[in-house]
Amino acid sequence: RKEVEQDPGPFNVPEGATVAFNCTYSNSASQSFFWYRQDCRKEPKLLMSVYSSGNEDGRFTAQLNRASQYISLLIRDSKLSDSATYLCVVIPRDNYGQNFVFGPGTRLSVLP
Amino acid sequence: DGGITQSPKYLFRKEGQNVTLSCEQNLNHDAMYWYRQDPGQGLRLIYYSQIVNDFQKGDIAEGYSVSREKKESFPLTVTSAQKNPTAFYLCASSPQGDSYNEQFFGPGTRLTVL
């Protein structure tokens, strides 16, 4: 089983739709979690950190479920500019050096 | 402006040649990283460095080498021993500290070996 798994998509949704992505991880000792956004042929950029209590930033909501070992990202009122690949990132607790473990990414296309 | 720069943006090399990719940061970050990304795949760690004059192998270090002589610079050499070097190479940095620090990425270098 891969350390971090994501549904590759693509998710094709109309503008204004709500879309959710899940990411599962295998290391139960994982400490920190992030969602990064990567536009086509560009570098990844931090979208949001994922806290145990869940967190919200505008139209974006991230949640963590430690018992089931998954994190989720919810995007409300999708915009055309949300089209990108969303990367789930996990940092294991016992991993010196803050070595990120990246998922393969979920591609989102928001259609007019 | 603070940030991470990588050069060149595109690089073409003949098979069998070594090539060095540049990565510079002026964020005063202690840690620096090199990743490789292939189409449709996640990022894979090649090498990382937590401090000057020290670096560690990542998951796919074979065929690559690095140096960390200055805090600001972490060049990656792709050697002729790397069997499939064509890929998108990303450099990143992060502050030292606890495990909640994000990594900041440079714009990447696309290497094509002909």
Side-chain angles (χ1 to χ4, degrees):
Chain A
R1 182 183 173 187
K2 292 183 180 177
E3 282 194 78
V4 180
E5 296 193 71
Q6 296 181 251
D7 184 337
F11 284 59
N12 297 317
V13 303
E15 263 187 296
T18 295
V19 61
F21 310 134
N22 278 344
C23 166
T24 58
Y25 58 94
S26 59
N27 187 337
S28 60
S30 295
Q31 170 106 357
S32 303
F33 309 88
F34 301 90
W35 282 103
Y36 273 70
R37 170 196 169 124
Q38 186 175 26
D39 292 301
C40 188
R41 302 179 73 83
K42 300 283 190 181
E43 74 273 24
K45 293 184 178 178
L46 180 69
L47 178 65
M48 57 197 309
S49 303
V50 186
Y51 304 126
S52 297
S53 55
N55 48 305
E56 187 173 311
D57 183 3
R59 299 181 293 108
F60 299 85
T61 300
Q63 292 194 315
L64 167 64
N65 185 320
R66 286 192 184 273
S68 301
Q69 293 180 212
Y70 77 83
I71 65 174
S72 63
L73 177 68
L74 181 78
I75 306 176
R76 290 180 298 278
D77 188 22
S78 300
K79 311 291 185 193
L80 295 177
S81 57
D82 293 334
S83 297
T85 296
Y86 291 84
L87 304 173
C88 168
V89 181
V90 174
I91 303 179
R93 181 189 301 273
D94 55 354
N95 204 343
Y96 172 75
Q98 300 176 50
N99 287 345
F100 282 21
V101 180
F102 285 84
T106 296
R107 194 153 62 90
L108 171 66
S109 291
V110 180
L111 308 173
Chain B
D1 286 332
I4 303 175
T5 57
Q6 291 185 244
S7 61
K9 190 172 181 179
Y10 298 96
L11 189 55
F12 297 88
R13 279 292 182 268
K14 291 183 180 179
E15 198 171 334
Q17 289 181 331
N18 290 357
V19 61
T20 296
L21 281 56
S22 167
C23 177
E24 304 277 333
Q25 55 98 359
N26 60 4
L27 300 167
N28 200 32
H29 286 171
D30 288 310
M32 297 186 74
Y33 309 82
W34 272 106
Y35 294 92
R36 169 186 173 134
Q37 187 176 34
D38 294 281
Q41 297 191 33
L43 279 68
R44 292 184 289 167
L45 183 65
I46 304 173
Y47 268 98
Y48 66 99
S49 168
Q50 294 289 72
I51 196 169
V52 175
N53 292 323
D54 186 53
F55 49 82
Q56 306 294 330
K57 291 182 179 180
D59 301 318
I60 55 165
E62 185 176 349
Y64 300 96
S65 65
V66 293
S67 63
R68 187 84 187 277
E69 297 177 1
K70 296 187 299 182
K71 188 175 184 177
E72 304 79 25
S73 178
F74 192 39
L76 173 75
T77 297
V78 185
T79 75
S80 56
Q82 168 52 231
K83 295 192 186 325
N84 187 18
T86 294
F88 187 37
Y89 290 88
L90 287 156
C91 179
S93 71
S94 70
Q96 273 288 32
D98 59 35
S99 59
Y100 296 96
N101 288 314
E102 69 174 284
Q103 290 185 8
F104 297 81
F105 285 85
T109 293
R110 288 197 181 274
L111 173 63
T112 302
V113 175
L114 307 171

